[in-house]
Amino acid sequence: QVQLRASGGGSVNPGGSLTLSCRIFGNSASISCMAWFRQAPGMERDGIALIDSYGRTSYVDAVKGRFTISKDNTENRLYLHLNDLKPEDTAVYYCAAGRDPGYCYRSDRRYLEAWGQGTLVTVSQ
């Protein structure tokens, strides 16, 4: 059983940076896929970045080149480094994890068993 706790959200100006953290509780060694999602007001929750157990990463076009996903296995944390933030990045950000790599390789959310509670990022002047 794995539990996740996300933190690090806040308010920033356009062009600013933030680092989100997702602490992993429980059997982190069993995780084969982790991801970050975000949900803007009135919108669906969409995946934006993922990392598999080999450290391979993937990003949606909207964040590619600006956001970086990473995992620190010694600290049991997943990170999302957000740079050059834009107002359209305003959303609640969620981390997620799965023992089966189904989401990493087939974009199947059913394989994401654990979700963090969300952390709000607001980008405005």
Side-chain angles (χ1 to χ4, degrees):
Q1 191 84 10
V2 168
Q3 293 183 324
L4 306 175
R5 186 177 302 161
S7 62
S11 295
V12 296
N13 293 330
S17 299
L18 279 175
T19 295
L20 306 184
S21 175
C22 177
R23 188 173 177 186
I24 305 163
F25 298 90
N27 186 11
S28 61
S30 67
I31 297 172
S32 61
C33 178
M34 294 200 73
W36 285 97
F37 286 70
R38 68 183 180 185
Q39 186 168 19
M43 303 295 284
E44 299 283 326
R45 186 179 301 187
D46 294 324
I48 57 171
L50 59 83
I51 185 167
D52 70 7
S53 58
Y54 297 99
R56 294 177 297 202
T57 60
S58 180
Y59 304 88
V60 296
D61 287 345
V63 307
K64 198 174 294 183
R66 299 188 299 121
F67 293 6
T68 303
I69 187 172
S70 64
K71 188 168 179 277
D72 188 325
N73 292 322
T74 59
E75 293 189 359
N76 285 338
R77 287 184 184 269
L78 177 75
Y79 294 99
L80 186 68
H81 305 280
L82 296 76
N83 296 310
D84 190 23
L85 282 160
K86 305 175 181 181
E88 53 264 41
D89 295 318
T90 295
V92 177
Y93 285 71
Y94 299 88
C95 53
R99 291 174 294 174
D100 188 288
Y103 179 75
C104 278
Y105 302 148
R106 295 186 295 278
S107 300
D108 191 334
R109 297 189 190 192
R110 293 175 295 176
Y111 292 100
L112 293 172
E113 303 163 65
W115 290 81
Q117 81 287 7
T119 185
L120 176 63
V121 173
T122 303
V123 185
S124 65
Q125 291 285 2

